[in-house]
Amino acid sequence: MSTSTTTTLAGLAGLEGTELGTSDWVDVPQERVNQFAEATGDHQWIHVDVERARAESPFGGPIAHGYLTLSLLIPMWSQVLEVTDATMAVNYGLNKVRFPDSVPVGSRVRMTATLTGVTEIPGGVQVTVSAVVEREGGDKPACIAEPVFRFLA
């Protein structure tokens, strides 16, 4: 079950340093991995060739693309923070990203986000977040990222 924070643009500054919440678990089935491969043109066998991945991969089977795991930040992020008076939010970029562990196909992942920076910008607020994506049953994070979002009035 997800936990989340609801606030306003003016209230964001007071949340700096605060854990905003944790998303629901997201399934990562082979179908999602195959769709990501089609969308990106990344058909590396460790992702899409189930039999070869089982036989030859050091992971024991197919794994999700790192960038697929990263792309799941957006739906998970939408479960963690709501800024009620923002008319729109935009993904401004990433300061850094690492993939300390793989995500085997069939896994579930979820994200915990902490607000690490808040800056006023013309027409809104820019926030920097520490996002940690964990794999259910994993020993270390699947993804650690520092996304930057802009909330506009």
Side-chain angles (χ1 to χ4, degrees):
M1 187 118 168
S2 67
T3 59
S4 65
T5 299
T6 301
T7 191
T8 61
L9 288 165
L12 283 167
L15 294 173
E16 190 168 354
T18 301
E19 184 175 294
L20 298 172
T22 301
S23 72
D24 289 330
W25 290 103
V26 175
D27 294 324
V28 185
Q30 187 66 53
E31 180 182 9
R32 178 175 252 161
V33 172
N34 293 347
Q35 289 171 341
F36 190 83
E38 284 300 314
T40 62
D42 182 353
H43 298 278
Q44 187 176 172
W45 65 269
I46 62 171
H47 306 303
V48 298
D49 188 333
V50 174
E51 294 310 315
R52 184 175 178 191
R54 285 185 182 141
E56 298 178 32
S57 168
F59 306 106
I63 60 170
H65 304 73
Y67 285 123
L68 168 55
T69 303
L70 181 64
S71 75
L72 295 174
L73 286 181
I74 297 305
M76 291 187 288
W77 170 248
S78 68
Q79 295 178 3
V80 169
L81 179 66
E82 179 183 5
V83 181
T84 57
D85 58 346
T87 59
M88 67 186 263
V90 294
N91 176 357
Y92 191 65
L94 296 155
N95 289 337
K96 62 182 174 180
V97 178
R98 297 290 182 268
F99 303 104
D101 201 6
S102 62
V103 176
V105 168
S107 297
R108 297 190 328 157
V109 296
R110 69 178 177 185
M111 179 194 70
T112 299
T114 301
L115 186 60
T116 58
V118 179
T119 306
E120 286 189 39
I121 59 170
V125 177
Q126 178 174 294
V127 300
T128 305
V129 177
S130 170
V132 178
V133 177
E134 68 175 304
R135 176 177 53 88
E136 189 173 41
D139 295 333
K140 53 188 170 180
C143 178
I144 299 170
E146 193 173 278
V148 181
F149 299 101
R150 288 187 164 185
F151 292 94
L152 304 171

